[in-house]
Amino acid sequence: MGIEQAPTAKGREAARGLRKATAKEERKVETRKGSELKKGAERFDERSRSSDGKGAGAKQR
């Protein structure tokens, strides 16, 4: 759910805080790692593959 789609002002504020915290954590990890984390579909596939060695496509077959 996007920030502006939250039904209440309190929900929108919570979503903004979560987004900021996530971005901060991502910057720390990227700094420690020395390179940027993969984004979008590449990241999804990487996370899926890391759990059991299979990609998302292979799991759905």
Side-chain angles (χ1 to χ4, degrees):
M1 177 183 286
I3 292 171
E4 299 308 319
Q5 295 170 333
T8 64
K10 195 173 189 178
R12 285 188 289 277
E13 188 59 36
R16 281 189 193 96
L18 180 60
R19 188 174 183 102
K20 285 180 184 179
T22 302
K24 184 178 177 182
E25 178 68 22
E26 189 173 276
R27 283 191 303 272
K28 281 199 297 188
V29 170
E30 288 175 343
T31 300
R32 202 174 334 127
K33 182 180 172 196
S35 63
E36 289 188 4
L37 295 171
K38 293 181 180 181
K39 304 294 191 270
E42 291 176 341
R43 187 173 188 163
F44 175 80
D45 193 48
E46 177 187 51
R47 297 297 179 255
S48 175
R49 189 174 309 274
S50 68
S51 65
D52 63 2
K54 295 180 184 175
K59 291 179 184 180
Q60 293 181 357
R61 288 185 208 150

